[in-house]
């Protein structure tokens, strides 16, 4: 018997970052929106914990116990006093180290799949606790939709979304290290203020107004990502020239996200980005998307 769980990527439509805390993390006002690019995690009984991965970026995915999917299995097993013996296969479609929470998605997917496979019957709150232990973005991968993340991003308040938004994601060559981007943020922003969610942005989400959302998009990590990867400015310019309502770096980057007026505009912008030579690939997707969902009965 196997259990497969499908988990979405995310884009941060607002990422407001405060000063570094004593524990090294940053307080955030982090507005997450799940998008329709998915990884699938399949859990199958095995003699020992083993990870395999397929997909265009599979060679960049660690297959050891640093993989969040492996850590999820270990944390769940430890809570129930059982051995984390499982084969986890990741069918990876989310860009790796791209600022789209692909690693977090695999952690949330593995957790849900193992809980079903092992019959450990965790409550939603237990699952969210383990997710928060795995990483700041992992709880959102479990719940999906749209949510405001506070604290280090792990404390979630669901948000209403009144329509479908159309996105284009430009995938860069190579990844960016999230800790390195936060460190660069600290260097560039010695006077960082306490973060707060933007009211116009929440209103644009609630009403499903793409033009209003475009005007309210913001990412405090963008100057840091551009400082570490100056070529992203060319990608942002190419997407805007191609007719995007707005563009921004997704999370800590280096993926860039472009909001389009409708599905046809998204396809045109993706084609123009591919032709521009400023990115490795361009993908279209919509939001909101559901959180981690079993695809096997
Ligand atoms: O929580 P997660 O393991 O995803 O965080 C990865 C790194 O990103 C942290 O080690 C930290 O350097 C940085 N981070 C941060 N503040 C946050 C979230 C992440 O400084 N709120």
């Amino acid at each position: 018997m196997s259990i497969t769980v499908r988990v979405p990527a995310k884009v941060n439509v607002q990422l407001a970052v405060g000063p570094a805390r004593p524990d090294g993390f940053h307080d955030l006002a982090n507005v997450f929106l799940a998008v329709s690019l998915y990884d699938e995690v399949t859990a199958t009984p095995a003699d020992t914990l083993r990870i395999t991965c397929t997909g265009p970026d599979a060679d960049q995915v660690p297959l050891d116990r640093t993989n969040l999917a492996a850590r999820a299995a270990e944390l769940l097993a430890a809570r129930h006093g059982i051995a984390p013996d499982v084969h986890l296969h990741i069918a990876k479609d989310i860009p790796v180290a791209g600022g789209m929470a692909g690693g977090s998605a695999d952690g949330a997917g593995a957790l849900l799949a193992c809980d079903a496979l092992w019959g450990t019957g965790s409550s939603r709150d237990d699952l969210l606790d383990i997710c928060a232990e795995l990483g700041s973005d992992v709880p959102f991968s479990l719940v999906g939709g749209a949510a405001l993340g506070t604290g280090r991003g792990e404390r979630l308040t669901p948000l209403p979304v009144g329509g479908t938004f159309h996105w284009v994601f430009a995938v860069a060559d190579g990844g960016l290290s999230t800790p390195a981007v936060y460190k660069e943020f600290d260097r560039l922003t010695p006077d960082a203020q306490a973060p707060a969610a933007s009211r116009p942005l929440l209103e644009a989400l609630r009403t499903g107004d793409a033009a209003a959302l475009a005007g309210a998009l913001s990412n405090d990590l963008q100057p840091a990502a551009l400082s570490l990867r100056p070529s992203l400015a060319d990608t942002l310019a190419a997407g805007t020239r191609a007719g995007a309502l707005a563009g921004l770096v997704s999370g800590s980057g280096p993926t860039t996200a472009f909001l389009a007026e409708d599905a046809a505009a998204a396809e045109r912008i993706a084609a123009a980005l591919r032709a521009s030579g400023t990115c490795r690939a361009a993908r279209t997707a919509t939001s909101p998307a559901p959180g981690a969902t079993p695809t096997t009965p």
Side-chain angles (χ1 to χ4, degrees), residues 71-190:
R71 290 191 42 222
E74 285 176 331
L75 280 179
L76 180 68
R79 281 205 174 196
H80 294 275
I82 58 177
D85 294 337
V86 65
H87 172 204
L88 294 170
H89 179 73
I90 302 167
K92 176 149 285 295
D93 196 41
I94 303 174
V96 176
M100 298 194 74
S104 299
D106 300 343
L111 183 63
L112 209 56
C114 288
D115 192 51
L117 186 71
W118 295 337
T120 35
S122 303
S123 67
R124 194 75 173 165
D125 281 351
D126 286 342
L127 293 173
L128 284 170
D129 274 356
I130 297 175
C131 286
E133 207 174 320
L134 286 168
S136 307
D137 289 347
V138 185
F140 180 72
S141 300
L142 189 75
V143 304
L148 170 64
T150 54
R152 60 185 168 85
E154 87 289 12
R155 288 207 306 264
L156 297 179
T157 309
L159 294 172
V161 181
T164 301
F165 295 105
H166 297 271
W167 294 96
V168 183
F169 295 97
V171 184
D173 260 324
L176 265 180
S177 146
T178 302
V181 173
Y182 274 101
K183 224 171 134 196
E184 183 67 356
F185 169 85
D186 291 337
R187 194 181 71 80
L188 295 174
T189 327

Side-chain angles (χ1 to χ4, degrees), residues 11-267:
V11 62
N12 305 91
V13 287
Q14 183 190 6
L15 185 44
V17 183
R21 311 190 310 202
D23 66 0
F25 285 91
H26 296 70
D27 276 323
L28 305 178
N30 191 351
V31 181
F32 292 105
L33 195 55
V35 303
S36 62
L37 299 178
Y38 301 96
D39 282 359
E40 281 189 353
V41 182
T42 300
T44 309
D47 292 340
T48 183
L49 176 54
R50 191 163 74 89
I51 308 259
T52 54
C53 183
T54 50
D57 293 344
D59 57 328
Q60 296 166 51
V61 176
L63 300 178
D64 59 13
R65 299 202 170 190
T66 62
N67 189 303
L68 283 182
R71 290 191 42 222
E74 285 176 331
L75 280 179
L76 180 68
R79 281 205 174 196
H80 294 275
I82 58 177
D85 294 337
V86 65
H87 172 204
L88 294 170
H89 179 73
I90 302 167
K92 176 149 285 295
D93 196 41
I94 303 174
V96 176
M100 298 194 74
S104 299
D106 300 343
L111 183 63
L112 209 56
C114 288
D115 192 51
L117 186 71
W118 295 337
T120 35
S122 303
S123 67
R124 194 75 173 165
D125 281 351
D126 286 342
L127 293 173
L128 284 170
D129 274 356
I130 297 175
C131 286
E133 207 174 320
L134 286 168
S136 307
D137 289 347
V138 185
F140 180 72
S141 300
L142 189 75
V143 304
L148 170 64
T150 54
R152 60 185 168 85
E154 87 289 12
R155 288 207 306 264
L156 297 179
T157 309
L159 294 172
V161 181
T164 301
F165 295 105
H166 297 271
W167 294 96
V168 183
F169 295 97
V171 184
D173 260 324
L176 265 180
S177 146
T178 302
V181 173
Y182 274 101
K183 224 171 134 196
E184 183 67 356
F185 169 85
D186 291 337
R187 194 181 71 80
L188 295 174
T189 327
D191 56 349
Q193 304 296 308
S198 149
R199 283 180 182 279
L201 180 114
L202 299 184
E203 185 59 13
L205 282 180
R206 197 182 63 75
T207 55
D209 183 336
L213 183 62
L217 293 174
S218 74
N219 179 0
D220 285 355
L221 293 181
Q222 180 160 315
L226 284 170
S227 168
L228 297 178
R229 192 70 68 80
S231 61
L232 293 180
D234 300 333
T235 321
L236 287 170
T240 310
R241 243 192 338 265
L245 297 172
L248 85 173
V249 171
S250 178
S252 58
T255 303
T256 43
F258 299 90
L259 194 55
E261 212 167 339
D262 53 29
E267 290 305 334

